[in-house]
Amino acid sequence: MISSTFLAYAMLAWLGVAVVALIALWFVDAPYGRRSRAGWGPGIPNQLAWFLMESVVLISFYATFLTTSNHIGVSTWIFASLLTFHYVNRALIYPWRTRTKGKTMPLSVMLMSMTFNTVNGFFIGADLTTLSRADSWLTDPRFLIGIVIFFSAMALNWHSDNILINLRKPGETGYSIPRGGAFTWVTSPNLLGEILEWIGFALLTWSLSGLTFAIWTCANLIPRARSNQRWYFEHFPDYPRERRVLIPGIW
C-alpha cells in the first residue's frame, strides 16, 4: 500500500513536470490535428490514437482504485463515476464521431499522451481512496459548487465539440471557421470547457490529485488554445479578430 506522504510528494513532483510542459508547449506546438507535421515518427490512425490514449486513464484509475484495501464510501464512488462518465465519452464515443478518416497522429505524441494519462489515472485512483469522505460531503458547498461547474463545463465542451465535428460534411477533410455557441466569443470553447470541468472536479473532490490534474489540463490546453488562435489568424484572413483565445473579452 502506498503511503499518503509518498503519494503527496510524488504528485508535487508531477506538478513540477507540468510547469516544464507548459513552458515547452508555449514555444513548441504539439504536432497533432491542425498542427500536424513531419518529423515526429510514424503516424497512427487518428481515431485509434484518441481511443488508446484516452482509455488508459480508466485502466490505470480502476487498476489502482479497485485494488485498495481502504473502504470506498458513497462520495468516493460518485467521484469515480464522474471521472468514468467523462472518459467513456472521450475514449469510446468522441473519437468515432470525428470526421478524420485518413488523418493520423504521430506515434510519439500518442505514447506521450498515454504516459501522461496513465500517471494521472494512477494518482487519482490512489488519492481518492485515501480521502474517506463521509456521505455528508455530498451537501458540502465545495461539492455542490464543484459539481455544477463540472457538468456546466462538460456541456460547454460537448456542445463545442459538436459544432467542430459538424463543420465537415461526410468525406471532407479540410478546415473552416467555427461559428455559433461559445465560438462567438472565444476560439477554443471546447478546451475552455475541459479546463473548467477539471477545475470543478478538483473542487468537488477537494483533493491534491484533482488539483494536480486540473493544473496539468491547463498546462496542456492553454498553450493549445493560443496555438489555435494563431493558426486561424494565419489561414483565414476573415477570421473574427474580436474573438479571444479562452476568456471572453480578456484573453
Side-chain angles (χ1 to χ4, degrees), residues 62-83:
Y62 278 105
T64 308
F65 185 77
L66 295 178
T67 56
T68 180
S69 59
N70 295 330
H71 170 70
I72 301 176
V74 173
S75 297
T76 308
W77 276 113
I78 290 175
F79 303 157
S81 298
L82 295 175
L83 183 84

Side-chain angles (χ1 to χ4, degrees), residues 42-61:
I44 301 297
N46 192 67
Q47 292 171 316
L48 176 61
W50 275 102
F51 165 71
L52 292 173
M53 70 188 194
E54 298 289 355
S55 62
V56 294
V57 175
L58 294 177
I59 296 171
S60 175
F61 172 76

